Each structure stands twice: as C-alpha cells, then as structure tokens.
C-alpha cells in the first residue's frame, strides 16, 4: 500500500471524488489509500496475457481491461478494501452499457467473468492476493480468478463451483486448463515468461 489520504468519506462520496490526478485508490473503512504504480514485470505479464486472449479470439478486445477497471467487492473482514483494481479483467457484454459513466462494477451489477492478479514479492502482497482478494472475488461471484506468481513460477486457476473456488496449480510445461476458456492453449511457462 501507498499513502493514505486524511479525508474520510463514504463509498458513494468516493465514487464522485476527483482530485485532479490519475491516481487509483482503494477505499478502506472510509479512507482512501493510494495504490502504488505497477512494476514493469507485472505490467508486462498482464499485457502479454491480454494480447493473447485477444489474438487467439477468445474474447472481444473491448471487454478486456488492465488496471483501470474497478470492482466493488464485499468487505469480509475489518480493514479490507471495498474496491479492487485487478491487473487484468474480462467483463461481460452487458458491462459496456452499465459502465458508461464510470468503469466501476458495482455490487448490484453482474460480476465480471474473469480477473487475474500478478503476485508481487513480499508476504503482505502474497496475503492480499492469495487470501483477501481470493475471498472477496469468490464472494463477489467471479467465475475464474487467476494468480500469476513469477517468484514461485506457478499459475493458480481458481474456478467457482457452487459458490466456492476450486484450485488448480500449473507449472512449467503444464497447459493451463480453464473451464471458462477451453480453447486457451498456453502453458504456465509461456504465461509467466512471455516472449517479447
């Protein structure tokens, strides 16, 4: 996490807040916490995956977003963020109309189909992705949540089955299996170490 604003506000006030910057904030218990800039590796891995989905014809380009799509999620524990900005998200077609004013998927909207996070180094980041976000994305009803872990060289695919994530891990030359995208053909190695 980065700097915290001193201003307290409701979540509804946050949704109309403008500070004249392009900063992204997580809303945590009435306080805005500025999110840090993504690392080059995280940005590259999310871009490479987005390009693959588009070039392979698995999804329409307009339904894909990196870093700028905000998802309102349930707060399940104290001090959890009420909003998340996944590294990569695939929307449903109905989201195009629903997000004309602001690219925020509210709780009263259908959940996105897919989210992906790149796990940054450090235990705090690992906990956020493997525990906090996992629980929140599961509660939000997101069908698939992928974690790309460059440090461990593992891709974890979480698939929602009866409202609970079922986990599969892929390494090396394992072809990633996605029920949502059965024509996905890359291996874990290709996803974690894309060609330039």
């Amino acid at each position: 996490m980065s700097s915290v604003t001193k201003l307290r506000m409701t979540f509804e006030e946050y949704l109309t807040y403008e500070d004249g910057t392009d900063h992204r904030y997580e809303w945590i218990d009435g306080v805005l916490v500025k999110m840090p800039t993504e690392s080059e590796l995280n940005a590259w891995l999310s871009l490479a995956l987005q390009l693959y989905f588009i070039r392979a014809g698995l999804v329409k380009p307009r339904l894909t977003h990196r870093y700028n799509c905000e998802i309102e999620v349930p707060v399940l524990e104290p001090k959890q963020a009420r909003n998340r900005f996944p590294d990569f998200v695939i929307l449903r077609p109905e989201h195009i109309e629903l997000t004309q004013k602001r690219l925020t998927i509210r709780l009263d909207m259908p959940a996105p189909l897919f989210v992906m996070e790149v796990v940054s180094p450090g235990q705090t980041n690992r906990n956020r992705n493997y525990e906090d976000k996992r629980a929140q994305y599961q509660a939000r009803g997101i069908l698939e949540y992928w974690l790309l872990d460059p440090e461990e060289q593992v891709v974890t695919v979480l698939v929602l089955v009866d409202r609970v994530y079922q986990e599969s891990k892929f390494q090396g030359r394992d072809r990633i299996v996605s029920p949502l995208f059965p024509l996905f053909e890359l291996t874990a190695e290709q996803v974690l170490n894309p060609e330039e």
Side-chain angles (χ1 to χ4, degrees):
M1 280 297 159
S2 192
S3 60
V4 177
T5 66
K6 296 188 186 338
L7 186 63
R8 293 189 65 83
M9 62 182 73
T10 66
F11 191 72
E12 296 304 319
E13 290 170 332
Y14 155 72
L15 291 173
T16 61
Y17 175 71
E18 253 322 310
D19 65 359
T21 72
D22 59 356
H23 297 308
R24 296 176 304 147
Y25 296 97
E26 286 185 338
W27 185 94
I28 301 175
D29 195 27
V31 175
L32 300 188
V33 179
K34 188 176 113 178
M35 297 179 63
T37 304
E38 292 296 331
S39 71
E40 188 280 333
L41 178 61
N42 288 22
W44 169 233
L45 292 178
S46 64
L47 174 61
L49 190 61
Q50 179 187 36
L51 290 174
Y52 173 78
F53 270 96
I54 293 168
R55 290 175 180 162
L58 301 177
V59 66
K60 293 182 179 177
R62 189 169 179 184
L63 298 176
T64 68
H65 291 275
R66 295 173 49 244
Y67 307 120
N68 63 337
C69 180
E70 178 179 38
I71 302 172
E72 185 180 5
V73 291
V75 176
L76 305 173
E77 295 182 21
K79 302 299 180 191
Q80 268 186 341
R82 185 166 165 184
N83 59 320
R84 300 293 186 181
F85 291 87
D87 293 336
F88 176 50
V89 62
I90 298 175
L91 302 178
R92 299 173 185 268
E94 57 265 39
H95 287 131
I96 301 298
E97 182 64 32
L98 293 171
T99 58
Q100 288 300 301
K101 292 183 180 176
R102 181 183 172 108
L103 189 53
T104 299
I105 309 300
R106 300 293 312 267
L107 286 174
D108 61 354
M109 297 178 185
L113 290 174
F114 171 97
V115 295
M116 182 278 289
E117 301 281 3
V118 179
V119 181
S120 298
Q123 194 58 48
T124 299
N125 290 318
R126 298 186 77 73
N127 292 346
R128 280 170 43 90
N129 287 294
Y130 282 101
E131 296 173 18
D132 294 344
K133 290 181 184 181
R134 175 183 176 147
Q136 289 180 300
Y137 291 158
Q138 176 180 278
R140 185 65 178 86
I142 297 171
L143 296 178
E144 280 192 26
Y145 171 34
W146 290 18
L147 292 116
L148 277 54
D149 193 332
E151 198 170 63
E152 299 291 327
Q153 285 292 292
V154 174
V155 175
T156 303
V157 174
L158 299 162
V159 177
L160 200 62
V161 178
D162 296 327
R163 301 191 314 209
V164 176
Y165 277 142
Q166 303 298 313
E167 178 179 301
S168 299
K169 291 187 178 283
F170 303 92
Q171 294 178 290
R173 294 189 177 154
D174 297 339
R175 183 180 154 270
I176 295 173
V177 177
S178 165
L180 196 55
F181 300 101
L183 299 179
F184 191 90
E185 295 184 344
L186 297 183
T187 65
E189 188 174 67
Q190 290 171 313
V191 168
L192 292 165
N193 304 286
E195 296 181 15
E196 295 180 14

